[in-house]
Amino acid sequence: MKHLLSNEASTESHETALMNDASFAELPLSSAMLGNLDRLGYATMTPIQAASLPITLAGSDLIAQAKTGSGKTAAFAIPLLAKIDSTRFDVQALVLCPTRELAEQVTHELRRLARAEDNIKILTLAGGVMMRGQRASLEHGAHIVVGTPGRIMDLLDRGNLELGAVNTLVLDEADRMLDMGFHHDITYVAKRVPTHRQTLLFSATYPEGIAKLAEQFMRRPKRITVEARHDDRKIRQLFFEVQDSDRLMAVATLLNHYRPTSTLAFCNTKARCNDLVEQLSRAGFSAQALHGELEQRDRDQVLVQFANRSCSVLVATDVAARGLDIAHLEAVINVDVTPEPELHVHRIGRTGRADNEGLTLSLASGKEMGRVNRLEDEQGRPVKWADLATLTPASDRPLVPPMATIQIQVERKEKIRAGDVLGALTGAGGIAGDKVGKITIGAFSTYVAVQRDVAKAALKHLGAAKIKGKTVRVRLL
Ligand code: ADP
Ligand code: MG
């Protein structure tokens, strides 16, 4: 494991030594808490805990990025619990989670960690459960509330929940909450929490939206990234020799054989990106280019379609792909070999994240063998070659993305919520909820992914439906 601490302008940089087997006893924790951690079998801190707890216990805001299963719950639960005054009867900490299941898991872990203290009341407030029972529980008081943004917002609106005494706000799995279209609800809830509070944001990935959230309501957050050192064994890397004239069609051969749902294809130049998109589109693939010259609006649209799985191949230069953080990338194709071995390592590091096995396919012509040799030196072992001629299409049907994107002409400032779109799509005569994918509320437009087979029906239904009392313009991208 290695720790990366960023030096971004918006965050303060912070030095942390690499800590191995750091003990909780080094932290300023109560002996009751230390005893409880011991009983729970928490002998040493996980890397994210070792990197974040000294910062959070000192009161700083924090943006922490670490993969699933790395112990993030305790990383926020410990500083949060240290500030709870159980003799007071008001909500002092609020944890927002993307789903009810996750909220319940967090509540469970919080209860285990809170056992050291007397009588800390923790309440889960998430959708999918009658509100009446939750209102009754709230009347009995709670010190900590764990919930989903939508339900918390509803309870606030009805005057059932009071957040005026909250001193810790946690956004858990922030990337997933953004994926689910909760940006507005999170902001709404955060505004109802006193500004003099500590805000802790946890996420497995760091998409652009997180920086925006942080800017909106965090105070000089420190940022920590604990990256599992890339395990090369998890990435299946294969090289194929090609003639320059066959290079672009070789990409189609790879796609037809391996059939990845989402592929990031790297080219060394913008011109090559455009050529490849043209060739792939002509061959029936859904491919889009991402290069530095796209306007923000177009860039957003391309990324939305790729992230919601309605575009199979994103073709990018190294520069354009910088800062991209895509959770479910199945394959990376290196259309040409990078002159710098470092860049190659970056490219292949984009696949095989979070325990998924990654697939990296590289094309190289005779002229590029020098570059391949340098790669081999860099990684300290030879690359594996395979023969393109042995690859056969895995199906005679073309590779189509599972989803399609409908663009709705409603902007974020019109206060549209994901629930409005979902409601309009699934309302009387609409499509089933499980056919609806990611909903993205953008600055200029709203996008919803639906399963490709119901795209036409969904478009028709939305065209006739009302969103926030108005009919809306819709089109299929
Ligand atoms: P994340 O939120 O990062 O996905 P969790 O907080 O759910 O991870 O923790 C994953 C598991 O690791 C849980 O079962 C938790 O009890 C356990 N765990 C967390 N911290 C420690 C620790 N310091 N020592 C041992 N187990 C831990
Ligand atoms: Mg978690």
Side-chain angles (χ1 to χ4, degrees), residues 55-327:
I55 295 172
T56 51
L57 287 168
S60 273
D61 280 9
L62 176 78
I63 300 176
Q65 187 187 342
K67 65 174 199 162
T68 308
S70 54
K72 294 193 284 294
T73 316
F76 63 74
I78 291 171
L80 172 163
L81 287 166
K83 288 191 285 174
I84 300 285
D85 176 355
S86 60
T87 63
R88 273 174 39 194
F89 288 98
D90 40 26
V91 179
Q92 296 160 47
L94 173 65
V95 182
L96 296 178
C97 300
T99 64
R100 180 164 50 115
E101 294 78 56
L102 288 166
E104 279 164 0
Q105 279 173 30
V106 166
T107 302
H108 177 75
E109 182 78 356
L110 266 168
R111 289 210 169 107
R112 280 166 22 109
L113 290 163
R115 275 197 315 222
E117 317 286 331
D118 280 338
N119 275 324
I120 294 186
K121 286 227 170 76
I122 308 172
L123 200 56
T124 316
L125 299 175
V129 175
M130 295 279 278
M131 227 183 288
R132 200 185 318 143
Q134 297 182 343
R135 284 204 295 264
S137 311
L138 271 170
E139 276 163 22
H140 287 99
H143 300 108
I144 304 172
V145 163
V146 183
T148 50
R151 178 54 60 99
I152 299 287
M153 184 166 118
D154 289 342
L155 288 162
L156 279 170
D157 269 351
R158 288 160 202 248
N160 298 125
L161 180 61
E162 172 51 50
L163 298 176
V166 168
N167 56 31
T168 315
L169 172 65
V170 179
L171 309 182
D172 191 22
E173 309 233 8
D175 50 351
R176 282 189 67 188
M177 289 202 282
L178 291 180
D179 263 7
M180 295 172 71
F182 278 139
H183 182 106
H184 162 267
D185 299 14
I186 294 171
T187 316
Y188 183 97
V189 172
K191 281 199 187 113
R192 302 283 292 266
V193 179
T195 48
H196 284 285
R197 59 158 194 258
Q198 186 179 28
T199 309
L200 310 175
L201 185 155
F202 287 79
S203 196
T205 61
Y206 194 79
E208 280 174 55
I210 302 257
K212 284 184 203 146
L213 261 190
E215 250 167 59
Q216 270 178 292
F217 60 75
M218 293 182 79
R219 289 188 302 166
R220 294 162 62 82
K222 303 258 167 44
R223 194 176 149 201
I224 292 178
T225 306
V226 176
E227 252 180 7
R229 183 190 277 286
H230 221 85
D231 187 351
D232 288 349
R233 282 159 306 180
K234 266 197 218 140
I235 301 176
R236 200 144 56 99
Q237 244 205 107
L238 285 176
F239 275 71
F240 300 86
E241 185 167 359
V242 289
Q243 304 290 320
D244 265 323
S245 54
D246 302 335
R247 194 187 291 266
L248 300 185
M249 282 327 287
V251 177
T253 306
L254 294 175
L255 292 170
N256 275 330
H257 178 80
Y258 292 101
R259 304 185 82 77
T261 308
S262 300
T263 301
L264 185 53
F266 281 104
C267 300
N268 289 352
T269 65
K270 203 185 79 190
R272 177 93 83 198
C273 286
N274 290 336
D275 290 348
L276 179 60
V277 167
E278 205 187 299
Q279 283 256 13
L280 289 178
S281 305
R282 231 183 293 137
F285 294 95
S286 158
Q288 303 222 47
L290 189 72
H291 50 68
E293 280 161 36
L294 287 183
E295 287 198 30
Q296 188 62 37
R297 191 183 288 241
D298 296 323
R299 181 182 157 91
D300 287 351
Q301 196 157 311
V302 169
L303 288 178
V304 161
Q305 291 177 78
F306 187 64
N308 73 19
R309 304 196 301 154
S310 52
C311 162
S312 308
V313 190
L314 185 65
V315 181
T317 56
D318 295 284
V319 174
R322 198 176 287 163
L324 268 190
D325 206 345
I326 296 156

Side-chain angles (χ1 to χ4, degrees), residues 3 5-7 12-19 51 54-55 222:
H3 298 176
L5 286 149
S6 83
N7 285 310
E12 216 172 278
S13 83
H14 203 268
E15 295 293 327
T16 307
L18 216 142
M19 279 171 280
I55 295 172
K222 303 258 167 44

Side-chain angles (χ1 to χ4, degrees), residues 230-239 264 266 318 329-334 338 341-353 356-362 375 378-379 381 383:
H230 221 85
D231 187 351
D232 288 349
R233 282 159 306 180
K234 266 197 218 140
I235 301 176
R236 200 144 56 99
Q237 244 205 107
L238 285 176
F239 275 71
L264 185 53
F266 281 104
D318 295 284
L329 198 55
E330 259 176 74
V332 165
I333 298 181
N334 296 310
T338 57
E342 268 283 293
L343 274 183
H344 181 82
V345 175
H346 273 286
R347 286 179 173 187
I348 70 172
R350 295 184 165 279
T351 177
R353 294 199 169 171
N356 297 316
E357 188 181 81
L359 179 65
T360 305
L361 308 166
S362 303
L375 284 181
E378 170 87 9
Q379 63 182 33
R381 61 188 144 80
V383 304

